[in-house]
Amino acid sequence: MKHVIALDVGGTGMKAALLAQDGSVLFEARRPTGREHGTDAVVAAILGFAADLADEGRARFGHAPLAAGVAVPGTIDEKNGIAVFSANLGWRDLPLRKLLGERLGGLPVALGHDVRSGGLAEGRIGAGQGVDRFLFIALGTGIAGAIGIDGRIEAGAHGYGGEIGHVVVRPGGPQCGCGARGCLETLASASAVSRAWAEASGDPDADAASCAAAVDAGNDRARAVWQTAVDALADGIVLAQSLLDPSTVIVGGGLAEAGDTLFTPLRAAVTERLTFQMPPKVVPAMLKDTAASLGAGLLAWDLLSMEVTA
Ligand SMILES: [Zn+2]
């Protein structure tokens, strides 16, 4: 069975798969990233995991994987295969594609951005299947996004395309880690909701999931916190709608786990803000935490099809 290595490197864990050409998962594995041991150890763990996955493929299918796709967080130079910067994992200008290629005996390697890889997978084999223009938004510790156009993800001129988390929706609002104020992620990320709900409820351990549960239970303070996030998110989506006109907005990440508690008021808030724009379908992501790994595998298959046509 022809297969590729798909690997997603996260802040705490790595998720991997061996992927067939139709995107089906032939084998899955997870390992800790081990960032507490430092950046060199993280890089060694990535290379070691990739090599073990290649062995796994050989053992299972009698031949080596055809390529590898690896998705990493932070700033990525996809064209040159450089992991430019990750605050979380500590590297700068790491030639990860070259290192992986050497470790895997010259196998073709695609290096991708974790959120854009996740968006690619949602678009091809997840919630956006068959949709040619979509926006993927991940509501996690921060907020990130990916712009899907005709089966690929638009990374922008400098690799920052889709950064909807840093669209300012409340000028002069809360301080954002990026240096600006009032960015979408300061109001509508899972962390922002957790913070706001911890403050409003007086429970320091309160989080976004407990806020959603309190909203469902009819708690007014929770509803106010939740609506603040929903309104900010709707403002961000409407801005994106005016600019990109996607037919579908796919929302994933921790906050999307709230299901209808999020999607029902969010769809209403988006609809009431639109004037001339066509309303997008606002749908939950399907692939959950495997999206980036699957997307990395799709990048590996794309690499092979480019080599064939070149
Ligand atoms: Zn920001």
Side-chain angles (χ1 to χ4, degrees), residues 165-168 176-186:
H166 300 286
V167 162
V168 174
C176 181
C178 79
R181 286 185 170 276
C183 293
L184 180 57
E185 78 170 33
T186 68

Side-chain angles (χ1 to χ4, degrees), residues 49-245:
F49 200 7
D52 289 349
L53 288 159
D55 289 343
E56 185 72 37
R58 259 182 233 109
R60 283 176 177 258
F61 307 111
H63 62 88
L66 298 177
V70 179
V72 298
T75 310
I76 316 298
D77 176 351
E78 283 157 352
K79 204 169 133 220
N80 296 306
I82 310 281
V84 177
F85 177 67
S86 166
N88 231 342
L89 298 175
W91 55 52
R92 267 181 198 281
D93 296 322
L94 177 73
L96 192 51
R97 187 173 69 197
K98 182 166 160 276
L99 294 173
L100 281 159
E102 285 167 4
R103 183 63 177 265
L104 296 171
L107 213 63
V109 176
L111 184 69
H113 177 262
D114 54 356
V115 177
R116 286 198 291 272
S117 298
L120 179 72
E122 285 291 349
R124 291 230 195 124
I125 56 178
Q129 223 172 330
V131 174
D132 66 352
R133 293 268 187 299
F134 68 87
L135 176 68
F136 171 66
I137 306 177
L139 307 173
T141 311
I143 293 183
I147 300 164
I149 300 174
D150 285 338
R152 64 178 190 88
I153 299 295
E154 172 55 53
H158 312 95
Y160 296 113
E163 287 283 8
I164 193 169
H166 300 286
V167 162
V168 174
V169 292
R170 299 290 177 267
Q175 182 74 48
C176 181
C178 79
R181 286 185 170 276
C183 293
L184 180 57
E185 78 170 33
T186 68
L187 295 141
S189 62
S191 310
V193 172
S194 297
R195 255 193 325 270
W197 178 227
E199 197 176 316
S201 66
D203 174 3
D205 296 329
D207 62 8
S210 69
C211 186
V215 169
D216 290 340
N219 181 308
D220 284 338
R221 279 177 302 165
R223 278 189 178 161
V225 166
W226 198 252
Q227 196 60 42
T228 299
V230 166
D231 285 338
L233 191 53
D235 286 333
I237 289 175
V238 169
L239 189 149
Q241 197 63 23
S242 305
L243 211 55
L244 303 167
D245 189 25

